[in-house]
Amino acid sequence: KHYIDDPKFLYDEHVIKGKQLRLIADEIGTSKAILSTRLKSFGIHANQTNSCARIKTSMSNECREVYEYINSITSDFVRINDRKTLNGKEIDLLIPSKNIGFEYNGIYSHIHMHKAGIINKSKSYHLDKTVNAAENGIKLFHIFSDDWILNKDVVKSMIAAKLGIFENTIYARNCSIVELSTSPKVQFLNHNHLQGKDRSCIAYGLLFNNSLVACMTFCKSRYNKNYTWELSRFAVMQHTKVIGGFSKLLSH
């Protein structure tokens, strides 16, 4: 059966995958005008051009690494350069089946440095985009290039967690609580938290089979003196889900 006569194929290519009509027409050997007429006959609404993915996608090497990693851990379709969901604003990588988007933010292209006269993005750009995505039912996860380059393993673990993919699942009720000295705390945070070690004076961990699987730290309140303590870090061992871990440590 010819693709031009297959409404499911056309719907998937244009609506689900977000391809432009011109690209679909080129791929199946027809014209954009004929394709547009066929969509109308099938009752498929043609999207505006700026709401479709770009015909020629531009992706940095690091962003492509993120894309390839996501494809290596999930079979869900990943849409590149989506401009449909946010009405023309672009989401670098979108997984429609999970309503999750990933933004790869290069340090220079996303910088805001008003005093130096450099303003590539507004100060609230990333927050505004995250809120906009949330209003459209999308959880947007930002990946900054320095984090990807310097802490790739931690970011990969975070991406997998966002997608609900874990290598290990542990129940906090099967863990014991221990107070951590400086050395194991620093080592665990540097390996499992994007910001690494902190200057906390209180640290507790969860032990499972004599292995540290989660850590929570506290320091004196820095931003609001009406409070005594501030939660500084919470980290879980990479690619591990500790069910009830946060609440167990916080309650203790």
Side-chain angles (χ1 to χ4, degrees):
K1 188 176 182 180
H2 199 279
Y3 289 126
I4 194 70
D5 298 318
D6 187 342
K8 184 180 184 307
F9 169 81
L10 296 178
Y11 181 86
D12 287 346
E13 293 294 293
H14 184 55
V15 179
I16 301 300
K17 295 183 180 179
K19 290 184 179 179
Q20 290 188 19
L21 295 186
R22 181 157 59 89
L23 177 59
I24 301 172
D26 290 342
E27 290 178 344
I28 66 176
T30 187
S31 68
K32 179 181 175 182
I34 293 175
L35 180 59
S36 180
T37 300
R38 294 300 286 162
L39 286 177
K40 187 175 181 179
S41 69
F42 291 136
I44 300 173
H45 177 70
N47 295 319
Q48 296 296 319
T49 300
N50 69 345
S51 69
C52 296
R54 294 173 177 171
I55 291 179
K56 293 184 179 180
T57 59
S58 176
M59 192 184 302
S60 68
N61 291 335
E62 290 84 11
C63 186
R64 185 165 297 281
E65 288 179 2
V66 175
Y67 171 71
E68 291 173 351
Y69 173 68
I70 293 173
N71 273 323
S72 74
I73 61 174
T74 181
S75 59
D76 291 288
F77 170 71
V78 182
R79 184 183 294 164
I80 302 173
N81 302 137
D82 173 82
R83 293 188 290 169
K84 176 182 177 182
T85 305
L86 302 185
N87 298 317
K89 292 183 179 179
E90 190 168 284
I91 298 177
D92 293 336
L93 303 171
L94 176 68
I95 304 179
S97 61
K98 296 187 182 302
N99 291 326
I100 293 176
F102 294 92
E103 283 281 285
Y104 189 83
N105 303 321
I107 292 300
Y108 179 77
S109 61
H110 285 254
I111 198 171
H112 175 88
M113 194 179 298
H114 183 72
K115 290 183 178 180
I118 302 173
I119 306 177
N120 289 337
K121 303 291 183 182
S122 68
K123 191 173 183 179
S124 61
Y125 172 81
H126 300 100
L127 176 60
D128 292 342
K129 197 166 188 178
T130 302
V131 171
N132 189 5
E135 291 172 347
N136 286 275
I138 302 296
K139 294 181 180 179
L140 194 60
F141 180 53
H142 291 273
I143 301 170
F144 289 88
S145 59
D146 56 338
D147 290 330
W148 178 254
I149 293 169
L150 300 175
N151 296 289
K152 191 169 296 182
D153 289 340
V154 176
V155 177
K156 283 184 176 181
S157 178
M158 295 172 70
I159 291 173
K162 295 291 182 182
L163 298 176
I165 300 170
F166 301 92
E167 295 177 4
N168 307 291
T169 299
I170 298 169
Y171 289 90
R173 64 174 178 265
N174 297 325
C175 299
S176 58
I177 296 178
V178 293
E179 188 167 359
L180 298 175
S181 59
T182 300
S183 181
K185 176 196 74 170
V186 169
Q187 185 177 0
F188 189 85
L189 290 178
N190 282 342
H191 188 65
N192 297 288
H193 196 285
L194 203 57
Q195 293 176 286
K197 65 180 181 179
D198 63 1
R199 295 183 178 181
S200 57
C201 52
I202 294 178
Y204 291 99
L206 291 180
L207 284 184
F208 179 77
N209 290 339
N210 294 318
S211 294
L212 187 61
V213 296
C215 172
M216 181 177 284
T217 69
F218 298 87
C219 62
K220 292 292 185 178
S221 181
R222 296 170 295 175
Y223 304 109
N224 191 332
K225 297 306 178 182
N226 293 321
Y227 298 94
T228 306
W229 297 105
E230 175 185 321
L231 194 154
S232 178
R233 298 280 193 275
F234 174 68
V236 174
M237 186 169 66
Q238 289 183 28
H239 300 286
T240 300
K241 182 177 185 180
V242 182
I243 298 175
F246 182 91
S247 58
K248 182 168 184 172
L249 285 169
L250 185 62
S251 295
H252 180 80

